[in-house]
Amino acid sequence: MHKGLGSQRLVALFAGGWVLFNFPLLGLWDRDATVWGVPAFPAALFLLWLALIVALAWLVDRPSVRDDDVTPSSAPAASSVPAQTPPATAQPPGGPLPPQA
């Protein structure tokens, strides 16, 4: 079964969030220290949560690249493609002539 790279990245982000919010790593922040007057544990929880949300937004909003899409390097150059113009019609210099009765 072939999974897209985007879904694999989302699963990896979920697994990373699971590990970050699990006991052994959260125990690192359970100290009597403060960051700008905020205890380190709630500050760490908020910053980790914020980092996960930013990473999720970045992954979801990225344009997806598919194998069947044409990449700019493989597209023909604009100068090699002939321009198609409609055939010119002969008109007098002053514009079209009025209809004759």
Side-chain angles (χ1 to χ4, degrees):
M1 182 160 119
H2 182 268
K3 291 184 179 180
L5 188 58
S7 63
Q8 291 176 5
R9 288 179 178 160
L10 290 175
V11 169
L13 184 65
F14 171 77
W18 185 295
V19 169
L20 284 175
F21 286 109
N22 214 339
F23 169 70
L25 289 180
L26 280 182
L28 294 174
W29 303 104
D30 195 15
R31 305 281 183 248
D32 290 334
T34 60
V35 179
W36 294 302
V38 178
F41 187 68
L45 281 177
F46 177 74
L47 291 176
L48 291 173
W49 173 70
L50 180 67
L52 282 174
I53 289 176
V54 168
L56 179 65
W58 180 70
L59 283 175
V60 171
D61 285 342
R62 285 176 43 152
S64 63
V65 178
R66 296 189 179 128
D67 294 332
D68 57 350
D69 288 345
V70 176
T71 59
S73 61
S74 66
S79 61
S80 66
V81 178
Q84 296 179 355
T85 58
T89 57
Q91 291 184 357
L97 295 174
Q100 295 179 353

